[in-house]
Short mmCIF file of all heavy atoms in Angstrom, two decimals:
data_model
loop_
_atom_site.label_atom_id
_atom_site.label_comp_id
_atom_site.label_asym_id
_atom_site.label_seq_id
_atom_site.Cartn_x
_atom_site.Cartn_y
_atom_site.Cartn_z
N LEU A 680 -4.06 -25.21 -32.29
CA LEU A 680 -3.75 -26.37 -33.10
C LEU A 680 -3.25 -27.46 -32.17
O LEU A 680 -2.36 -27.24 -31.37
CB LEU A 680 -2.68 -26.02 -34.14
CG LEU A 680 -2.00 -27.20 -34.85
CD1 LEU A 680 -3.01 -27.96 -35.69
CD2 LEU A 680 -0.85 -26.71 -35.71
N ARG A 705 -6.65 -24.38 -41.34
CA ARG A 705 -6.13 -23.39 -42.27
C ARG A 705 -4.88 -23.87 -42.99
O ARG A 705 -4.77 -23.81 -44.20
CB ARG A 705 -5.88 -22.07 -41.53
CG ARG A 705 -5.46 -20.94 -42.43
CD ARG A 705 -5.37 -19.62 -41.67
NE ARG A 705 -4.34 -19.67 -40.63
CZ ARG A 705 -4.60 -19.62 -39.33
NH1 ARG A 705 -5.86 -19.54 -38.93
NH2 ARG A 705 -3.63 -19.66 -38.45
N ASP A 706 -3.90 -24.35 -42.22
CA ASP A 706 -2.64 -24.76 -42.84
C ASP A 706 -1.95 -25.84 -42.02
O ASP A 706 -0.74 -25.84 -41.87
CB ASP A 706 -1.70 -23.55 -43.01
CG ASP A 706 -1.47 -22.84 -41.69
OD1 ASP A 706 -2.02 -23.28 -40.68
OD2 ASP A 706 -0.75 -21.84 -41.68
N TRP A 709 1.31 -28.40 -42.91
CA TRP A 709 2.75 -28.18 -42.76
C TRP A 709 3.38 -29.13 -41.75
O TRP A 709 4.61 -29.33 -41.72
CB TRP A 709 3.03 -26.74 -42.35
CG TRP A 709 2.51 -26.37 -40.98
CD1 TRP A 709 1.28 -25.94 -40.67
CD2 TRP A 709 3.23 -26.41 -39.74
NE1 TRP A 709 1.14 -25.70 -39.33
CE2 TRP A 709 2.35 -25.99 -38.72
CE3 TRP A 709 4.53 -26.76 -39.39
CZ2 TRP A 709 2.71 -25.92 -37.39
CZ3 TRP A 709 4.91 -26.68 -38.06
CH2 TRP A 709 4.00 -26.27 -37.07
N LEU A 710 2.54 -29.78 -40.91
CA LEU A 710 3.08 -30.72 -39.92
C LEU A 710 3.50 -32.04 -40.56
O LEU A 710 4.30 -32.79 -39.98
CB LEU A 710 2.02 -31.00 -38.84
CG LEU A 710 1.70 -29.85 -37.90
CD1 LEU A 710 0.45 -30.18 -37.08
CD2 LEU A 710 2.87 -29.56 -36.98
N PRO A 724 9.05 -28.35 -27.79
CA PRO A 724 8.46 -28.90 -26.56
C PRO A 724 8.12 -30.38 -26.68
O PRO A 724 8.20 -31.11 -25.70
CB PRO A 724 7.22 -28.04 -26.35
CG PRO A 724 6.89 -27.48 -27.69
CD PRO A 724 8.20 -27.29 -28.39
N ILE A 737 5.84 -23.67 -23.10
CA ILE A 737 6.66 -22.58 -23.62
C ILE A 737 5.73 -21.38 -23.82
O ILE A 737 4.79 -21.43 -24.62
CB ILE A 737 7.34 -22.97 -24.94
CG1 ILE A 737 8.33 -24.12 -24.70
CG2 ILE A 737 8.06 -21.78 -25.55
CD1 ILE A 737 9.05 -24.57 -25.95
N ASP A 738 6.00 -20.30 -23.07
CA ASP A 738 5.14 -19.12 -23.13
C ASP A 738 5.37 -18.27 -24.37
O ASP A 738 4.45 -17.60 -24.84
CB ASP A 738 5.35 -18.26 -21.88
CG ASP A 738 4.82 -18.94 -20.62
OD1 ASP A 738 3.86 -19.72 -20.74
OD2 ASP A 738 5.37 -18.69 -19.53
N ASP A 739 6.60 -18.26 -24.88
CA ASP A 739 6.90 -17.44 -26.06
C ASP A 739 7.74 -18.28 -27.00
O ASP A 739 8.95 -18.42 -26.82
CB ASP A 739 7.63 -16.16 -25.66
CG ASP A 739 7.71 -15.16 -26.80
OD1 ASP A 739 7.51 -15.58 -27.97
OD2 ASP A 739 7.97 -13.98 -26.54
N LEU A 740 7.10 -18.84 -28.03
CA LEU A 740 7.80 -19.72 -28.95
C LEU A 740 8.75 -18.94 -29.84
O LEU A 740 9.78 -19.47 -30.27
CB LEU A 740 6.78 -20.48 -29.81
CG LEU A 740 7.29 -21.77 -30.47
CD1 LEU A 740 7.70 -22.77 -29.41
CD2 LEU A 740 6.22 -22.36 -31.37
N ALA A 741 8.43 -17.66 -30.11
CA ALA A 741 9.33 -16.84 -30.94
C ALA A 741 10.67 -16.66 -30.25
O ALA A 741 11.74 -16.72 -30.88
CB ALA A 741 8.69 -15.49 -31.24
N GLU A 742 10.63 -16.43 -28.93
CA GLU A 742 11.88 -16.30 -28.18
C GLU A 742 12.65 -17.61 -28.19
O GLU A 742 13.88 -17.62 -28.32
CB GLU A 742 11.57 -15.87 -26.75
CG GLU A 742 12.79 -15.65 -25.89
CD GLU A 742 12.42 -15.18 -24.49
OE1 GLU A 742 11.26 -14.77 -24.29
OE2 GLU A 742 13.30 -15.25 -23.61
N THR A 743 11.93 -18.73 -28.08
CA THR A 743 12.59 -20.03 -28.14
C THR A 743 13.23 -20.25 -29.49
O THR A 743 14.33 -20.79 -29.60
CB THR A 743 11.57 -21.14 -27.84
OG1 THR A 743 10.99 -20.91 -26.56
CG2 THR A 743 12.22 -22.50 -27.88
N ALA A 744 12.54 -19.82 -30.56
CA ALA A 744 13.10 -19.96 -31.90
C ALA A 744 14.38 -19.16 -32.05
O ALA A 744 15.36 -19.62 -32.62
CB ALA A 744 12.07 -19.53 -32.94
N ALA A 745 14.38 -17.93 -31.51
CA ALA A 745 15.58 -17.10 -31.60
C ALA A 745 16.73 -17.72 -30.82
O ALA A 745 17.88 -17.74 -31.28
CB ALA A 745 15.28 -15.69 -31.07
N ASP A 746 16.42 -18.27 -29.65
CA ASP A 746 17.46 -18.94 -28.86
C ASP A 746 18.00 -20.16 -29.58
O ASP A 746 19.19 -20.46 -29.54
CB ASP A 746 16.91 -19.34 -27.49
CG ASP A 746 16.59 -18.15 -26.62
OD1 ASP A 746 17.09 -17.05 -26.93
OD2 ASP A 746 15.83 -18.31 -25.66
N ALA A 747 17.11 -20.90 -30.28
CA ALA A 747 17.54 -22.10 -30.99
C ALA A 747 18.47 -21.75 -32.13
O ALA A 747 19.45 -22.46 -32.40
CB ALA A 747 16.33 -22.86 -31.50
N GLU A 748 18.21 -20.63 -32.80
CA GLU A 748 19.03 -20.25 -33.94
C GLU A 748 20.39 -19.71 -33.52
O GLU A 748 21.36 -19.81 -34.25
CB GLU A 748 18.29 -19.22 -34.79
CG GLU A 748 17.05 -19.78 -35.48
CD GLU A 748 16.33 -18.73 -36.29
OE1 GLU A 748 16.76 -17.56 -36.22
OE2 GLU A 748 15.35 -19.06 -36.97
N THR A 758 14.78 -29.22 -35.99
CA THR A 758 14.04 -28.57 -34.90
C THR A 758 13.89 -27.08 -35.15
O THR A 758 12.83 -26.50 -34.98
CB THR A 758 14.76 -28.81 -33.57
OG1 THR A 758 14.90 -30.21 -33.36
CG2 THR A 758 14.00 -28.19 -32.42
N THR A 759 14.99 -26.44 -35.58
CA THR A 759 14.94 -25.01 -35.85
C THR A 759 13.94 -24.70 -36.96
O THR A 759 13.14 -23.76 -36.85
CB THR A 759 16.33 -24.51 -36.24
OG1 THR A 759 17.26 -24.84 -35.22
CG2 THR A 759 16.33 -23.00 -36.46
N ALA A 760 13.96 -25.48 -38.01
CA ALA A 760 13.02 -25.27 -39.11
C ALA A 760 11.59 -25.50 -38.66
O ALA A 760 10.67 -24.78 -39.06
CB ALA A 760 13.38 -26.20 -40.28
N PHE A 761 11.39 -26.52 -37.81
CA PHE A 761 10.04 -26.81 -37.32
C PHE A 761 9.50 -25.66 -36.50
O PHE A 761 8.35 -25.23 -36.68
CB PHE A 761 10.10 -28.10 -36.50
CG PHE A 761 8.75 -28.52 -35.97
CD1 PHE A 761 7.87 -29.21 -36.78
CD2 PHE A 761 8.36 -28.24 -34.68
CE1 PHE A 761 6.62 -29.61 -36.31
CE2 PHE A 761 7.13 -28.62 -34.20
CZ PHE A 761 6.26 -29.32 -35.02
N ILE A 762 10.30 -25.14 -35.57
CA ILE A 762 9.85 -24.03 -34.73
C ILE A 762 9.62 -22.79 -35.58
O ILE A 762 8.64 -22.05 -35.38
CB ILE A 762 10.87 -23.76 -33.62
CG1 ILE A 762 10.97 -24.99 -32.69
CG2 ILE A 762 10.48 -22.54 -32.81
CD1 ILE A 762 11.99 -24.83 -31.61
N ARG A 763 10.52 -22.52 -36.54
CA ARG A 763 10.34 -21.36 -37.40
C ARG A 763 9.04 -21.48 -38.20
O ARG A 763 8.30 -20.50 -38.37
CB ARG A 763 11.53 -21.22 -38.34
CG ARG A 763 11.49 -19.91 -39.14
CD ARG A 763 12.62 -19.81 -40.16
NE ARG A 763 13.91 -20.00 -39.54
CZ ARG A 763 14.69 -21.06 -39.75
NH1 ARG A 763 14.28 -22.03 -40.57
NH2 ARG A 763 15.87 -21.16 -39.17
N ALA A 764 8.75 -22.68 -38.70
CA ALA A 764 7.51 -22.86 -39.44
C ALA A 764 6.30 -22.60 -38.56
O ALA A 764 5.29 -22.04 -39.01
CB ALA A 764 7.47 -24.28 -40.02
N ALA A 765 6.37 -23.00 -37.30
CA ALA A 765 5.26 -22.76 -36.38
C ALA A 765 5.07 -21.28 -36.10
O ALA A 765 3.94 -20.77 -36.14
CB ALA A 765 5.49 -23.52 -35.07
N THR A 766 6.15 -20.57 -35.83
CA THR A 766 6.03 -19.14 -35.52
C THR A 766 5.59 -18.34 -36.73
O THR A 766 4.87 -17.35 -36.60
CB THR A 766 7.37 -18.60 -34.99
OG1 THR A 766 8.41 -18.88 -35.96
CG2 THR A 766 7.73 -19.26 -33.67
N GLU A 767 5.99 -18.75 -37.94
CA GLU A 767 5.55 -18.04 -39.15
C GLU A 767 4.06 -18.17 -39.36
O GLU A 767 3.45 -17.34 -40.04
CB GLU A 767 6.31 -18.59 -40.36
CG GLU A 767 7.78 -18.18 -40.39
CD GLU A 767 8.52 -18.85 -41.54
OE1 GLU A 767 7.90 -19.71 -42.23
OE2 GLU A 767 9.70 -18.53 -41.74
N ARG A 768 3.44 -19.20 -38.77
CA ARG A 768 2.01 -19.40 -38.91
C ARG A 768 1.24 -18.86 -37.70
O ARG A 768 0.09 -19.23 -37.48
CB ARG A 768 1.72 -20.89 -39.12
CG ARG A 768 2.11 -21.34 -40.52
CD ARG A 768 2.24 -22.84 -40.62
NE ARG A 768 2.52 -23.25 -42.01
CZ ARG A 768 3.72 -23.19 -42.58
NH1 ARG A 768 4.75 -22.75 -41.89
NH2 ARG A 768 3.88 -23.57 -43.85
N GLY A 769 1.88 -18.01 -36.93
CA GLY A 769 1.19 -17.31 -35.85
C GLY A 769 1.21 -18.02 -34.51
O GLY A 769 0.54 -17.59 -33.57
N VAL A 770 1.97 -19.10 -34.38
CA VAL A 770 2.02 -19.80 -33.10
C VAL A 770 2.88 -18.99 -32.13
O VAL A 770 4.02 -18.64 -32.44
CB VAL A 770 2.60 -21.22 -33.27
CG1 VAL A 770 2.74 -21.90 -31.93
CG2 VAL A 770 1.69 -22.04 -34.19
N ARG A 771 2.33 -18.73 -30.94
CA ARG A 771 3.06 -17.92 -29.95
C ARG A 771 3.44 -18.71 -28.71
O ARG A 771 4.45 -18.40 -28.08
CB ARG A 771 2.20 -16.72 -29.53
CG ARG A 771 1.93 -15.74 -30.64
CD ARG A 771 3.21 -15.11 -31.17
NE ARG A 771 3.97 -14.50 -30.11
CZ ARG A 771 3.75 -13.27 -29.63
NH1 ARG A 771 2.78 -12.54 -30.17
NH2 ARG A 771 4.48 -12.78 -28.67
N SER A 772 2.60 -19.68 -28.30
CA SER A 772 2.92 -20.47 -27.12
C SER A 772 2.57 -21.92 -27.38
O SER A 772 1.80 -22.24 -28.31
CB SER A 772 2.16 -19.95 -25.89
OG SER A 772 0.76 -19.94 -26.14
N ALA A 773 3.15 -22.83 -26.59
CA ALA A 773 2.98 -24.26 -26.84
C ALA A 773 2.95 -25.03 -25.53
O ALA A 773 3.56 -24.62 -24.53
CB ALA A 773 4.11 -24.78 -27.73
N TYR A 791 -0.81 -25.88 -29.69
CA TYR A 791 -0.29 -24.57 -30.01
C TYR A 791 -1.40 -23.52 -29.83
O TYR A 791 -2.59 -23.83 -30.01
CB TYR A 791 0.22 -24.50 -31.45
CG TYR A 791 1.49 -25.29 -31.70
CD1 TYR A 791 1.76 -25.81 -32.97
CD2 TYR A 791 2.41 -25.51 -30.68
CE1 TYR A 791 2.91 -26.52 -33.21
CE2 TYR A 791 3.57 -26.23 -30.92
CZ TYR A 791 3.81 -26.74 -32.18
OH TYR A 791 4.95 -27.44 -32.41
N ALA A 792 -1.00 -22.29 -29.48
CA ALA A 792 -1.95 -21.17 -29.37
C ALA A 792 -1.36 -19.93 -30.00
O ALA A 792 -0.12 -19.79 -30.07
CB ALA A 792 -2.30 -20.90 -27.90
N ASP A 793 -2.23 -19.07 -30.52
CA ASP A 793 -1.76 -17.84 -31.18
C ASP A 793 -1.58 -16.69 -30.21
O ASP A 793 -1.41 -15.55 -30.62
CB ASP A 793 -2.74 -17.44 -32.29
CG ASP A 793 -4.12 -17.11 -31.74
OD1 ASP A 793 -4.39 -17.45 -30.56
OD2 ASP A 793 -4.94 -16.53 -32.49
#
Side-chain angles (χ1 to χ4, degrees):
L680 166 65
R705 185 174 63 247
D706 55 1
W709 66 274
L710 291 169
I737 296 180
D738 291 331
D739 192 342
L740 201 62
E742 182 178 345
T743 302
D746 292 343
E748 293 179 356
T758 303
T759 305
F761 181 81
I762 297 178
R763 188 185 305 112
T766 56
E767 288 175 354
R768 286 162 176 80
V770 176
R771 295 298 305 276
S772 56
Y791 289 152
D793 63 346

